[in-house]
Amino acid sequence: MEGYKKIIKKLLFFNEPKKMERFVLKETSSKENRTEDSAENNAEKDKQYRARRRKEPGGIRKIDRGTDESSKKEKEIQKEDENKRKDSEVSVYLSHNLTSMKRLYNIPMNGDVVIREFDIILKDRAVGAFIIFFDGMTDRKVINNNILQPLMMLSSLEIKKAEEDIAEYIKKQILPHNQMKEFTSYRKIMDEVNFGGCAIFVDGIAKAFTGDVKGWEHRGVERPNTELVIRGPQEGFTETIRTNTALIRKRLKDEDLICQNFEIGERSNTPCSMMYIKDIANESLVEEVAKRLKSLKVDYLSDSGELEQFIEDSSFLPAPQIIATERPDRVATALTEGRVAVIMHGSPFVLIMPITAEDMVKSPEDNYVRFPYGNLFRLIRYFGIALSLLLPGLYIAITNYHQEMIPTDLLFSIEAAREMVPFPSVIEILIMEIAFELIREAGIRIPGPIGPTLGIIGALILGQAAVAANIVSPVLIIIVAVTGIGSFAAPNFSLAFSFRILRFAFIIIGAMAGFLGITTGLFIYGMWLVSAKSFGVPFLVPFGPKTANAFTDSILRAPIWKQERRPDYLNPKDDRRQAPISRGWMDNGSKGEDEDEQ
């Protein structure tokens, strides 16, 4: 009964809720928000700080946090001590190694780190050991069957000498795992564990064994989503670096194919691989790419798109200076030409460098079909790119400044359609271009099959409603639709992005100065491209500057048997990719005919 009375009182009488304390994030010390102290106060604080600081075993300083907890100097000391712990050597005492690994991995706060302690049974004694790995990143069956089971159950040899014999015995006779390494530094051991490995520490041995036991969930090899072809390989890269390098090596069975490993990111330690063919790629190009990768000072990288922005020559050039592709066949072709590829763990896109403007317009399918078909595809592609870049600007320039270029009947129909439209043509086309970009972006972001449906229905409904409401003219709907279709003809999505940006610039300068403005814009953009370089290669070669041996596969390509040399602007070590007479059957046939005639 009392319970019901309390409920009725709560319903009938209003009690003002207690005010909750607001959470305030404490400010960290920085140059902007820290008050300037006098020199005397700073000196006094330094003395107090040094007095509070004491030494730990092993030379690691422990910070006794007092009132000045957010001091910048304390943070620097703490970071220095943490680096000392990571760079310190493995101890012969198992208890010290266990304590160090728990401190470095913040155990038990870190819940996904597994430490398994066990004994290695020898004939004369039991030797303590432990293994450490990340749950979810490793294959438990490999750890149990190839590491723990042999160490715990199969060790039965009498060791007569000292610790080195135990280490050699464990490495050569007990552990059957095929990828075992030895390290004496905690930092090297942690790098292996962080990348899906395990570390084994044994009592009395001043080093640790690491094994490659990766077993995380990953996506399988599927069709590439952004570079679909009708004829050609249907495999695409994944987010796993070793799968991607294997896909390339499966196509290039060359012992001179080099895969040089890097780690980028001071915190993420993201694995990257630079691939090139040693006896083809120019050494200065390889050294330049390696220098840019090694010189990066960044905490974390999550995708090759971020890496591309760090190593490209110019961040403000609209056109991309590096090709990002998810096709292994395209990477293999680029490597055989003398280029360099960079593969990043966690990204299905591989970076190819250096590139030129004509490389951005090529499609992998061009080489897989007969050269008349490939040239037709390229001409259509060039036409579509020109429409996507210049058609709206040309429409504005002609209708505003150069009406004499339009046939009279067509001019009357355009003006009749625009008679009820209240906006100038430039505002009209900007409205439709922005609406088209919104529909395209929304169609990409909406998951599942709704996206393409929304794009089609949205464009139809919006276009019909805009024409019925006399907001835009029907001719402008055609212009915007043709422009959008032409933008999809660009085989590289980064190049399509650059044209989408430049299209608005040409619309504005076309409205301001007509053909003169568009011509000036093309001239400025051309000069910008001429001055640009991609890893030392001019962006507009083989046209500016003109080079030899490159016109067999530039705007139009020659038959595949005529493409005898590699692009000379790459300065490869071996400039010939096939013999002068690559079709040997024709050479033999001609000899036979000559002999018959004689």
Side-chain angles (χ1 to χ4, degrees):
M1 196 67 182
E2 294 295 331
Y4 289 111
K5 288 181 179 179
K6 290 181 180 179
I7 294 173
I8 294 171
K9 282 183 178 181
K10 287 182 180 179
L11 295 174
L12 295 178
F13 301 100
F14 173 74
N15 294 325
E16 185 176 356
K18 295 181 180 180
K19 293 184 178 180
M20 298 183 63
E21 295 183 0
R22 293 182 61 191
F23 171 74
V24 179
L25 189 64
K26 293 183 179 180
E27 294 184 357
T28 57
S29 65
S30 63
K31 291 182 180 180
E32 290 78 16
N33 59 17
R34 187 174 64 241
T35 58
E36 295 293 336
D37 294 334
S38 62
E40 295 179 358
N41 291 337
N42 288 337
E44 185 64 26
K45 285 183 179 180
D46 288 343
K47 289 181 181 179
Q48 294 176 2
Y49 177 76
R50 292 190 184 95
R52 290 198 312 266
R53 195 175 62 199
R54 66 176 183 269
K55 297 283 186 177
E56 272 191 346
I60 304 299
R61 290 172 297 208
K62 184 177 180 181
I63 297 173
D64 184 12
R65 295 184 179 274
T67 57
D68 195 17
E69 181 177 348
S70 61
S71 171
K72 183 179 179 181
K73 189 169 291 187
E74 286 187 353
K75 291 181 179 180
E76 291 177 355
I77 296 297
Q78 185 182 16
K79 189 174 181 180
E80 182 183 348
D81 292 345
E82 190 71 17
N83 291 332
K84 274 191 174 182
R85 289 192 183 99
K86 292 179 181 179
D87 292 331
S88 58
E89 300 293 323
V90 177
S91 173
V92 294
Y93 300 105
L94 186 67
S95 58
H96 184 275
N97 295 330
L98 182 60
T99 304
S100 299
M101 296 306 292
K102 286 183 177 180
R103 184 188 295 116
L104 290 171
Y105 278 108
N106 299 305
I107 298 173
M109 186 185 303
N110 217 342
D112 61 343
V113 182
V114 178
I115 293 181
R116 173 70 163 88
E117 299 183 53
F118 58 94
D119 290 332
I120 300 176
I121 305 299
L122 303 175
K123 281 191 175 181
D124 55 347
R125 65 189 184 279
V127 179
F130 73 88
I131 185 173
I132 181 171
F133 58 91
F134 276 104
D135 187 18
M137 293 185 66
T138 55
D139 190 338
R140 288 176 172 268
K141 291 184 179 180
V142 175
I143 293 176
N144 293 336
N145 298 335
N146 294 356
I147 296 177
L148 288 179
Q149 183 176 347
L151 288 174
M152 297 173 68
M153 301 176 62
L154 304 180
S155 54
S156 59
L157 183 69
E158 183 177 358
I159 304 299
K160 298 181 179 179
K161 295 185 181 178
E163 297 81 7
E164 295 137 7
D165 292 331
I166 299 178
E168 290 296 320
Y169 169 56
I170 291 174
K171 179 182 177 182
K172 294 184 177 180
Q173 299 188 42
I174 296 182
L175 289 177
H177 193 62
N178 55 7
Q179 295 187 29
M180 298 299 299
K181 301 178 183 178
E182 298 179 10
F183 294 104
T184 59
S185 170
Y186 285 131
R187 185 179 295 275
K188 295 290 185 181
I189 296 169
M190 293 173 66
D191 290 342
E192 294 290 326
V193 174
N194 294 341
F195 193 42
C198 69
I200 306 161
F201 292 84
V202 181
D203 191 18
I205 301 177
K207 57 185 174 183
F209 303 97
T210 63
D212 186 3
V213 290
K214 299 181 184 68
W216 56 67
E217 296 294 331
H218 59 276
R219 182 171 61 95
V221 177
E222 301 172 356
R223 297 182 64 183
N225 295 320
T226 60
E227 297 173 283
L228 296 175
V229 297
I230 298 176
R231 182 171 183 177
Q234 303 297 324
E235 291 180 338
F237 288 119
T238 68
E239 288 76 12
T240 307
I241 187 171
R242 284 297 160 250
T243 303
N244 295 341
T245 56
L247 287 173
I248 296 174
R249 287 195 179 273
K250 187 173 72 172
R251 285 167 172 78
L252 292 178
K253 305 171 184 64
D254 189 352
E255 64 278 3
D256 290 320
L257 178 60
I258 305 300
C259 181
Q260 190 173 350
N261 296 328
F262 298 92
E263 287 186 355
I264 301 177
E266 297 179 0
R267 290 186 178 273
S268 62
N269 292 320
T270 306
C272 293
S273 293
M274 180 181 68
M275 299 192 74
Y276 61 94
I277 300 179
K278 184 175 64 174
D279 58 347
I280 295 179
N282 191 288
E283 292 181 357
S284 61
L285 172 62
V286 175
E287 292 173 0
E288 178 65 22
V289 177
K291 183 185 75 173
R292 296 191 188 187
L293 293 175
K294 292 178 182 178
S295 63
L296 295 182
K297 305 297 181 184
V298 61
D299 281 350
Y300 175 72
L301 282 178
S302 60
D303 188 77
S304 60
E306 297 177 349
L307 180 62
E308 176 184 356
Q309 299 174 61
F310 273 109
I311 64 176
E312 65 183 356
D313 288 79
S314 174
S315 299
F316 301 99
L317 184 70
Q321 299 123 68
I322 298 174
I323 287 180
T325 179
E326 51 179 345
R327 296 190 61 88
D329 57 319
R330 189 171 191 181
V331 176
T333 302
L335 292 177
T336 57
E337 291 178 348
R339 306 180 198 268
V340 177
V342 175
I343 307 170
M344 180 177 173
H345 182 72
S347 175
F349 288 90
V350 174
L351 305 179
I352 301 174
M353 59 212 71
I355 63 167
T356 61
E358 48 101 7
D359 291 326
M360 305 300 298
V361 191
K362 294 179 182 177
S363 172
E365 196 173 16
D366 292 347
N367 289 331
Y368 302 147
V369 297
R370 299 180 64 243
F371 91 97
Y373 313 150
N375 288 332
L376 176 63
F377 296 159
R378 286 193 184 181
L379 291 175
I380 295 174
R381 209 173 294 141
Y382 293 139
F383 182 66
I385 290 173
L387 289 178
S388 68
L389 182 64
L390 299 175
L391 183 60
L394 290 175
Y395 172 78
I396 296 296
I398 291 175
T399 54
N400 288 1
Y401 295 96
H402 311 285
Q403 296 89 351
E404 68 278 0
M405 297 185 63
I406 308 176
T408 305
D409 295 339
L410 179 59
L411 180 62
F412 285 158
S413 66
I414 292 175
E415 291 301 323
R418 294 196 68 256
E419 184 178 2
M420 302 297 294
V421 177
F423 302 111
S425 57
V426 61
I427 302 298
E428 188 182 359
I429 200 166
L430 285 176
I431 290 173
M432 289 308 300
E433 283 291 341
I434 293 173
F436 186 84
E437 294 295 334
L438 285 175
I439 292 173
R440 176 155 51 181
E441 191 68 17
I444 294 173
R445 305 305 165 198
I446 292 180
I450 306 176
T453 306
L454 174 70
I456 296 172
I457 296 177
L460 290 174
I461 293 176
L462 281 179
Q464 178 102 14
V467 171
N470 292 325
I471 297 177
V472 296
S473 63
V475 177
L476 191 62
I477 297 292
I478 298 174
I479 296 294
V480 174
V482 173
T483 302
I485 294 172
S487 65
F488 291 122
N492 187 278
F493 64 93
S494 297
L495 185 67
F497 289 156
S498 68
F499 289 152
R500 287 164 66 177
I501 296 173
L502 292 172
R503 185 188 310 150
F504 288 95
F506 280 106
I507 290 173
I508 294 172
I509 61 178
M512 293 173 59
F515 280 175
L516 177 62
I518 292 178
T519 305
T520 304
L522 288 173
F523 177 77
I524 294 174
Y525 186 54
M527 294 294 292
W528 199 357
L529 293 180
V530 166
S531 62
K533 289 186 177 182
S534 173
F535 289 83
V537 176
F539 197 68
L540 287 186
V541 293
F543 308 102
K546 183 178 179 181
T547 59
N549 303 331
F551 290 95
T552 56
D553 190 17
S554 53
I555 295 181
L556 299 177
R557 77 173 185 88
I560 195 71
W561 50 270
K562 281 193 174 183
Q563 300 177 21
E564 299 174 357
R565 296 185 180 274
R566 296 182 174 89
D568 65 334
Y569 53 80
L570 296 174
N571 293 324
K573 295 179 180 178
D574 183 7
D575 65 342
R576 181 173 289 277
R577 76 170 106 197
Q578 62 191 31
I581 302 179
S582 56
R583 300 190 293 178
W585 58 273
M586 292 194 67
D587 186 25
N588 295 333
S590 63
K591 287 182 179 179
E593 291 176 2
D594 294 340
E595 291 175 358
D596 292 338
E597 291 178 0
Q598 292 176 359

